[in-house]
């Protein structure tokens, strides 16, 4: 075990790295099997977020989450300073905008959002839709945990969300 894991995690994240207390730094990329029943599920403002692979599983290189987005819900226009994102629509219909153009994405469609690009998405289906969200590097997956914590504690404000999106 490593001393002060929270402090080390914060220092690592501030520099774009991931500290994984359950593995010896630096974590190695090794084959992983994650049973669906053992994945972490977070309740976010948009709906459930299932962390399929965390940065600790991929040596910090990327993370994979499955997002269930409620009908007419989604993420407001924002940008990330360090992360690229890839969304794969699994079910439903989504509207995506990069601030200049809007497009409609259906099941099977893939969207790439490079860092520094303003973007938003929302589910435009009558029922919820599902996205796979691949985040590179993987430390940003902590955003899902932070936003779920804000939501749970009724601290989800536009200022707090903007702060999370820009970190």
């Amino acid at each position: 075990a490593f001393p002060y894991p929270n402090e080390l995690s914060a220092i690592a994240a501030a520099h774009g790295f991931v500290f994984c207390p359950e593995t010896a730094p630096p974590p190695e990329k090794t084959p992983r099997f994650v049973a669906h029943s053992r994945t972490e599920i977070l309740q976010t403002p948009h709906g459930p977020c299932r962390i399929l692979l965390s940065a600790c599983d991929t040596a910090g290189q990327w993370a994979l989450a499955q997002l269930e987005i409620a009908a007419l819900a989604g993420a407001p226009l924002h940008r990330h300073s360090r992360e690229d994102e890839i969304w794969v629509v699994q079910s439903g219909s989504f509207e995506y905008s990069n601030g200049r153009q809007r497009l409609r994405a259906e099941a099977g469609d893939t969207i790439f959002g490079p860092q520094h690009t303003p973007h938003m998405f929302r589910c435009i289906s009558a029922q919820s839709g599902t996205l796979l969200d691949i985040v590179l590097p993987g430390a940003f997956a902590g955003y899902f945990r932070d936003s779920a914590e804000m939501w749970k504690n009724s601290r989800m404000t536009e200022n707090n969300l903007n702060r999370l999106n820009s970190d």
Side-chain angles (χ1 to χ4, degrees):
F2 297 96
Y4 314 109
N6 292 337
E7 290 84 351
L8 292 173
S9 294
I11 292 166
H15 292 88
F17 296 97
V18 176
F19 173 75
C20 302
E22 67 269 14
T23 61
E28 296 179 26
K29 286 195 289 186
T30 58
R32 303 277 184 186
F33 170 79
V34 181
H36 189 74
S37 61
R38 303 211 22 131
T39 56
E40 179 180 11
I41 301 175
L42 305 168
Q43 296 304 318
T44 72
H46 322 301
C49 170
R50 184 182 292 270
I51 305 296
L52 302 174
L53 289 170
S54 73
C56 293
D57 297 318
T58 65
Q61 293 186 345
W62 55 277
L64 175 63
Q66 182 182 52
L67 310 174
E68 184 177 332
I69 310 296
L72 305 179
L77 189 65
H78 64 282
R79 73 178 78 213
H80 306 293
S81 59
R82 294 183 295 264
E83 299 83 19
D84 293 333
E85 268 186 291
I86 301 167
W87 301 273
V88 180
V89 179
Q90 290 189 298
S91 68
S93 298
F94 287 84
E95 176 184 51
Y96 170 85
S97 175
N98 63 10
R100 291 186 311 261
Q101 64 183 24
R102 287 186 186 275
L103 58 89
R104 181 181 177 117
E106 305 287 341
D109 292 340
T110 302
I111 303 165
F112 173 62
Q115 65 182 348
H116 303 295
T117 302
H119 60 278
M120 60 76 65
F121 64 86
R122 86 185 159 107
C123 179
I124 56 176
S125 303
Q127 291 85 28
S128 63
T130 306
L131 297 171
L132 285 180
D133 188 2
I134 304 164
V135 184
L136 305 100
F140 185 72
Y143 163 84
F144 297 122
R145 288 186 186 94
D146 292 343
S147 65
E149 188 66 24
M150 278 185 188
W151 181 252
K152 182 173 86 175
N153 294 319
S154 302
R155 293 182 295 129
M156 182 60 72
T157 65
E158 188 173 340
N159 285 341
N160 284 343
L161 187 60
N162 287 336
R163 190 184 90 256
L164 274 180
N165 283 326
S166 64
D167 286 348

